[in-house]
Amino acid sequence: MSKRVMKYFYRWRWMFPVITFIINIFAYKYLPESIPLQRDAFGNINYTASKLEFIFFIPILQLFSYIAIKYPQAKGKKKIFYGTYDIATGVILLLFDILLLYVFIRK
């Protein structure tokens, strides 16, 4: 990607959790009441989450990953490639959220 596109995404990287949260809000009414999040080797459900827990899970994970990437930079340690990790983390978690919503709404 060009530097100009990277600068644009880097400036608006905080929008990934917001976009994810907005998508989750719109999908809220289509989700089942309990969402299975963990299964054992035999396919039994070990942990379920409510709809409300689920819509906050991925955006909060995105915020924690953003903080984990930014914290070393704020302390003056090694600079990371001009926001590439921030952008990649946001995009990957956004796509993961869309995949999970597709799987749970399709049922």
Side-chain angles (χ1 to χ4, degrees):
M1 278 196 230
S2 70
K3 268 200 182 282
R4 181 193 229 173
V5 173
M6 289 299 291
K7 282 183 182 180
Y8 179 77
F9 277 127
Y10 188 70
R11 190 175 323 134
W12 294 98
R13 67 191 176 273
W14 57 270
M15 286 298 291
F16 290 115
V18 173
I19 292 169
T20 304
F21 185 68
I22 291 171
I23 290 171
N24 287 349
I25 292 294
F26 283 122
Y28 182 78
K29 65 181 176 180
Y30 301 109
L31 289 171
E33 287 301 318
S34 66
I35 300 169
L37 292 182
Q38 181 181 7
R39 295 180 184 258
D40 63 8
F42 303 108
N44 302 322
I45 297 171
N46 291 338
Y47 179 72
T48 60
S50 69
K51 292 188 331 182
L52 190 62
E53 291 173 351
F54 181 75
I55 64 167
F56 286 108
F57 179 70
I58 300 290
I60 289 174
L61 187 62
Q62 285 177 322
L63 288 174
F64 282 144
S65 66
Y66 172 73
I67 291 168
I69 290 171
K70 285 311 231 178
Y71 183 70
Q73 292 180 17
K75 293 192 88 169
K77 295 184 179 176
K78 179 183 171 188
K79 287 274 185 191
I80 299 176
F81 304 104
Y82 194 51
T84 306
Y85 293 144
D86 294 344
I87 296 166
T89 303
V91 169
I92 289 169
L93 286 172
L94 177 64
L95 293 175
F96 181 66
D97 182 61
I98 292 170
L99 174 72
L100 285 176
L101 288 173
Y102 173 74
V103 167
F104 293 132
I105 290 174
R106 193 178 59 140
K107 282 187 177 180

